[in-house]
Amino acid sequence: MEIHPKITPIYQTSVFKFEDLNELELYFSEPGSRYLYSRNGNPNADELAEAINRLEGGAGAMVTGSGMAAIFAAVLAYCQAGDHVLCAADIYGGSSTLLNTELNRMGISVTYVPFEQFYELQSFVQPTTRLMLVETMSNPLLRVADLGRLAEECHFHGLKLVVDNTFATPVLTQPLALGADIVLHSVTKYLSGHSDVTAGAVVAADAGVAARLKQIGVIYGLTLSPMESWLAVRGLKTLRLRVREHSRNALAIANFLADHPAVRDIYYPGLVQHPQHELAVAQGAGLFGGMMSILLADDPEVVNAFMRRTKYFPFAPSLAGVDSSLSYPLGTSHRALTPEQQQQLGITTGLVRLSIGIEPLEELMADLAQALD
Ligand SMILES: *Cc1c(COP(=O)(O)O)cnc(C)c1O
């Protein structure tokens, strides 16, 4: 009996069999024709990598056990001991911790570039600088980087541009088409979308770099399991639908919150008062995603009262699930920064980050209204 499943089954196996020595030789002489060992390659991981590669328009991709592993792989693809990297000052807390501690220990140093100086890198560049790491939309203040302009500036100085596209997703922005060299994701977030997977992905514009990424994944053991890959592939099929709905809900909620007296400030690129609104329109395909941050009174009791009263926004330090949630940058993602850095970035006691889900809009609005009033 031949079985023809419509959907790729889960190849929950760590290893694959060979008939004889001839078949083993075919594995090496015809790359991609057979599988050997799941850390080196697995049909489910390959399916996910190909799907993300297609969405981002890359020359090849690798999927990893987490978004952090993806960032690590991207840096290692271009850097070795003695090298230097630039990183946006507004960045995911885990990224700066990785650069400041482990990569620093390996001899790779970092300089942070304030958002205002992205397009004048001259004073930050050293002879050993290899790349710049930025987020399309920054965490948690949703500042939007002009990736086309940034790619030009990086390439002018001989640097590679590595873009963390987790918040924007390829539905809004495809960084490689704008000149980035590597785009990466915490697949844990929108690409999977259901808060049930931890995974990452790195996509390269250049086939040689993609091959190097795969080599790094296999040697360091960063690759993704079959089950996680399968779940992420399933989530990815509704990415377009979900991101449209996240964006639609978020824009309506942002407009509502912008006028609420308890909200002292709001950060959402879809609002006309957002400093990079026009760029976000041009670079985001008319959608602005589901992430926003609001500034309540800088009083922990005000924040606590809001957290306790919301029913649709559980305090859960992640984002981008179909179910809404909220997070607290000062106490979670940006906890490791010094108080001065936190102050500089505007990450204060009253700052709450909302991840707007795809629940019925009226229910989300009513819940936020009762929690804030
Ligand atoms: C969550 C996140 C990461 C890290 O991803 P993990 O899957 O948690 O390892 C990196 N960048 C951004 C923007 C994130 O939100």
Side-chain angles (χ1 to χ4, degrees), residues 65-71 91-95 135 137-139 164-167 184-189 197-200 317-319 353:
S66 69
M68 290 302 297
I71 298 166
I91 199 87
Y92 177 69
S95 309
E135 293 169 5
M137 286 177 171
S138 79
N139 182 21
D164 182 336
N165 202 30
T166 300
F167 272 37
L184 62 88
H185 282 272
S186 170
V187 174
T188 314
K189 316 294 169 50
V197 172
T198 300
S318 187
L319 59 110
R353 194 186 70 192

Side-chain angles (χ1 to χ4, degrees), residues 6 10 98 111 118 167 183 219 222 237 267 270 275 343 372:
K6 179 162 181 277
I10 307 171
L98 174 67
T111 302
F118 273 11
F167 272 37
V183 58
I219 295 173
L222 306 176
K237 290 175 187 178
Y267 306 90
Q343 198 65 37
L372 287 169

